[in-house]
Amino acid sequence: MTNVVLSNVFVQIFAVGTIFTFLLNHFLEFIDLRARLRNGGKLPAELEEFPAAQVFDREKLAKISAYENAKYFLWIPDSLLGFALTLILVFSGFYPWLFNFVCRFTGFPNGFMSTYLCAFAFFVLAGIPSSILSLPFALLKEFGIEKKFGFSKMTLSLWIADQVKSFLVSVVIAAVLLAAAVGIFIVFPKSWWILLVCLLFLFSLVMQVLYPLVIAPIFNKFTPLEDGELKTKISALMENLGFKSNGIFVMDASKRSGHSNAYFGGFGKSKRIVLYDTLIKQLETDELVAVLGHELGHYKMHHIIRKFFILIPIECALMYVLFRIAQSTLIYTGFGFAFADVPVEAVQFIGLFLANLVAGSISELIMPLMSSLSRHDEYQADAFSAKLTGSPDALISGLIKLNSENLSELLPPKLYVFWNYDHPTLIERIRALKAAK
């Protein structure tokens, strides 16, 4: 029998937010489907003047719609079951039961080690139900949809190995972070919010260095780009901009997928340029240099650093709100937690978990703002690349080919883009580049 208090304000915010987010996402996905059915077979007029757009023949346009539809119809049951599971776990009293269960085996509360073991066991076990539920859908997406449309090169053994590696890496990182967080909770019970923000900021900086050097090689092989025209042009581009890196590397992405990408990894002396081998096969040299110029635009225009400085005060404000919520006994009793002779200070990790549960239910409301800021940066990076290369044509041609190879939608509805897209659509990017030209 659940002890969740339906009249509790935190429970009500969680319930309303979860239901609203569920309905909103289904509405957005439905209007996207409706737009595909109406426009999926049409080639936008903006593309007709570009020779590269010949890849969008009737067969390719139909394939794009079929790919998006397949993902949508798999998403529906995944979303429905995920929504139901979220409500069941909360309103059945699963989380209080789980907390009491792990307390019996960890001796909580009895110092740092018992608190740490209790928190670690709670967070790991709390994530198991959703992980089990998502597993068949992940398999269907990888070996059903991605295989069917020619993207996935995965074998079952490789997929399982990746899942095991991801789990182990996540557990190690979470164990270290949680140990530091629990120590902060215990030593600084009245000011842990600001120290936790500092910890997360420091963690982000450390991961910028560790990811390309330690974590990424666990999953993929990185080899230096061979000498030739491509390397010469990229090196000249970097030298012209004063961009110093630890090297230009090619990642064996084709071992797993046909999707393509390029990115900058690392921080300081560990910076490196990474090109998917699929990207090198799909684009001409000038097109690839233009796409890389876009990525360099993010660096030269300080988009990453700016995001850090924007996010720090936002994270401070958000963490303080979560801290204040975690200090209130109202959120614990509302979700069915009862602590006999245990002060609130000793269960801050539970308070933070519940506060995140409530905040996460309404986080969808800030998605348009975050997406808009991201799209703004993408426009700037496109303009930078066009100016750097002297013409937007190579970038436009490269973007058309990438859109075609990745089977991305050409005419999604504006509301869907406004809410969900962190990059402008292909048509929007071409319009902006033509206007700049």
Side-chain angles (χ1 to χ4, degrees), residues 52-86:
Q54 294 176 0
V55 295
F56 293 114
D57 55 18
R58 182 174 298 179
E59 182 181 352
K60 176 56 68 71
L61 293 173
K63 190 175 182 180
I64 291 173
S65 292
Y67 179 57
E68 291 296 331
N69 289 343
K71 291 192 295 182
Y72 171 62
F73 289 119
L74 179 63
W75 173 82
I76 290 175
D78 188 10
S79 172
L80 286 169
L81 291 175
F83 171 70
L85 178 64
T86 298

Side-chain angles (χ1 to χ4, degrees), residues 270-315:
S270 70
K271 286 202 304 288
R272 57 171 55 186
I273 294 175
V274 176
L275 307 173
Y276 284 26
D277 58 353
T278 48
L279 185 71
I280 295 175
K281 294 174 184 176
Q282 292 168 4
L283 300 186
E284 301 294 332
T285 298
D286 287 343
E287 294 167 345
L288 205 155
V289 170
V291 169
L292 200 58
H294 168 97
E295 298 299 330
L296 281 166
H298 287 304
Y299 161 74
K300 288 298 289 185
M301 304 182 84
H302 310 296
H303 289 160
I304 298 173
I305 295 175
R306 191 186 68 195
K307 283 179 181 178
F308 264 118
F309 283 105
I310 291 175
L311 286 175
I312 288 174
I314 294 175
E315 288 185 0

Side-chain angles (χ1 to χ4, degrees), residues 83-377:
F83 171 70
L85 178 64
T86 298
L87 295 181
I88 289 171
L89 292 177
V90 169
F91 291 104
S92 68
F94 171 77
Y95 293 123
W97 172 85
L98 178 62
F99 175 72
N100 293 329
F101 173 78
V102 297
C103 280
R104 289 197 296 269
F105 291 94
T106 58
F108 176 84
N110 187 24
F112 168 80
M113 186 54 67
S114 67
T115 302
Y116 171 67
L117 291 175
C118 182
F120 184 78
F122 177 82
F123 285 121
V124 170
L125 295 175
I128 288 179
S130 60
S131 297
I132 293 175
L133 180 64
S134 65
L135 188 61
F137 293 102
L139 282 166
L140 284 171
K141 185 175 186 297
E142 185 66 45
F143 294 99
I145 297 174
E146 296 295 306
K147 283 282 188 185
K148 178 181 177 180
F149 289 90
F151 288 122
S152 178
K153 307 297 189 294
M154 281 280 196
T155 62
L156 183 59
S157 59
L158 180 59
W159 187 87
I160 293 173
D162 279 354
Q163 299 304 308
V164 172
K165 290 177 184 177
S166 296
F167 174 76
L168 292 176
V169 169
S170 298
V171 167
V172 170
I173 293 174
V176 173
L177 273 179
L178 190 59
V182 169
I184 291 173
F185 289 147
I186 293 174
V187 179
F188 304 97
K190 298 298 183 182
S191 57
W192 56 256
W193 63 277
I194 186 65
L195 295 173
L196 205 55
V197 171
C198 293
L199 173 66
L200 294 175
F201 179 68
L202 179 62
F203 169 74
S204 298
L205 294 179
V206 171
M207 287 302 294
Q208 287 286 324
V209 176
L210 290 183
Y211 181 80
L213 300 179
V214 179
I215 298 177
I218 296 175
F219 299 91
N220 290 97
K221 183 179 179 181
F222 296 82
T223 55
L225 179 64
E226 295 179 357
D227 292 337
E229 182 187 15
L230 179 59
K231 185 175 181 179
T232 299
K233 288 192 173 184
I234 292 176
S235 299
L237 198 68
M238 292 163 52
E239 185 176 350
N240 182 39
L241 293 173
F243 181 87
K244 297 180 180 180
S245 77
N246 194 33
I248 307 168
F249 294 86
V250 179
M251 188 181 90
D252 62 339
S254 58
K255 182 179 179 181
R256 292 172 170 79
S257 173
H259 291 293
S260 53
N261 198 7
Y263 68 88
F264 291 114
F267 182 77
K269 293 183 178 180
S270 70
K271 286 202 304 288
R272 57 171 55 186
I273 294 175
V274 176
L275 307 173
Y276 284 26
D277 58 353
T278 48
L279 185 71
I280 295 175
K281 294 174 184 176
Q282 292 168 4
L283 300 186
E284 301 294 332
T285 298
D286 287 343
E287 294 167 345
L288 205 155
V289 170
V291 169
L292 200 58
H294 168 97
E295 298 299 330
L296 281 166
H298 287 304
Y299 161 74
K300 288 298 289 185
M301 304 182 84
H302 310 296
H303 289 160
I304 298 173
I305 295 175
R306 191 186 68 195
K307 283 179 181 178
F308 264 118
F309 283 105
I310 291 175
L311 286 175
I312 288 174
I314 294 175
E315 288 185 0
C316 284
L318 177 60
M319 192 64 73
Y320 181 72
V321 172
L322 298 179
F323 164 77
R324 297 298 300 176
I325 293 174
Q327 300 296 305
S328 172
T329 57
L330 193 62
I331 193 169
Y332 299 96
T333 56
F335 284 95
F337 285 83
F339 304 113
D341 302 322
V342 178
V344 171
E345 289 79 7
V347 289
Q348 292 296 281
F349 65 92
I350 292 294
L352 189 59
F353 171 79
L354 295 176
N356 269 299
L357 200 64
V358 174
S361 69
I362 58 175
S363 62
E364 189 75 22
L365 296 174
I366 67 169
M367 284 302 297
L369 174 61
M370 302 305 295
S371 298
S372 177
L373 292 173
S374 178
R375 290 195 302 272
H376 175 267
D377 288 350

